[in-house]
Amino acid sequence: MDEYSEAVKEFYRVYRPLQKKHNLRMHSRFSIYDDGFIEIWEYTGEKRGKCVCKVKEEKDVECYKRATEELQSYGREREGARHEQRAG
């Protein structure tokens, strides 16, 4: 598999569970004429909440890689908050 396919596969491996657990929605745009763009938001019902990830990169593969890193960080952050709530 090439680098792009690997990056996309890893992105969705990280994104899907977080999407279900935290009601996330993604908007992305990729074009040969412009930078790649991925934006992910938390939603409560139909109301948009916190921006989880906003990435814009010249190369699509780099866009997916950065978005994956941001999602992993978001996931760790959310898990840490849950553990603090239980302990407190």
Side-chain angles (χ1 to χ4, degrees), residues 1-48:
M1 216 182 295
D2 66 341
E3 185 181 16
Y4 175 79
S5 297
E6 284 291 330
V8 172
K9 186 177 176 181
E10 178 65 9
F11 170 81
Y12 281 104
R13 187 191 67 75
V14 172
Y15 174 68
R16 291 289 184 217
L18 291 171
Q19 176 192 31
K20 291 175 184 165
K21 191 172 189 178
H22 301 291
N23 199 23
L24 303 180
R25 294 189 195 172
M26 177 179 84
H27 170 71
S28 62
R29 181 179 58 243
F30 295 95
S31 164
I32 59 172
Y33 304 109
D34 201 6
D35 292 347
F37 176 79
I38 297 174
E39 188 177 77
I40 301 171
W41 293 82
E42 287 180 348
Y43 272 77
T44 305
E46 290 301 312
K47 187 173 184 232
R48 186 165 72 177

Side-chain angles (χ1 to χ4, degrees), residues 27-78:
H27 170 71
S28 62
R29 181 179 58 243
F30 295 95
S31 164
I32 59 172
Y33 304 109
D34 201 6
D35 292 347
F37 176 79
I38 297 174
E39 188 177 77
I40 301 171
W41 293 82
E42 287 180 348
Y43 272 77
T44 305
E46 290 301 312
K47 187 173 184 232
R48 186 165 72 177
K50 176 185 171 188
C51 180
V52 171
C53 169
K54 197 173 205 175
V55 176
K56 190 172 187 176
E57 289 287 338
E58 187 176 327
K59 295 184 178 186
D60 295 355
V61 69
E62 294 303 318
C63 194
Y64 277 106
K65 285 180 177 180
R66 272 205 39 227
T68 302
E69 290 169 6
E70 288 192 22
L71 282 172
Q72 288 169 332
S73 176
Y74 167 79
R76 286 190 300 269
E77 190 179 286
R78 292 296 300 227

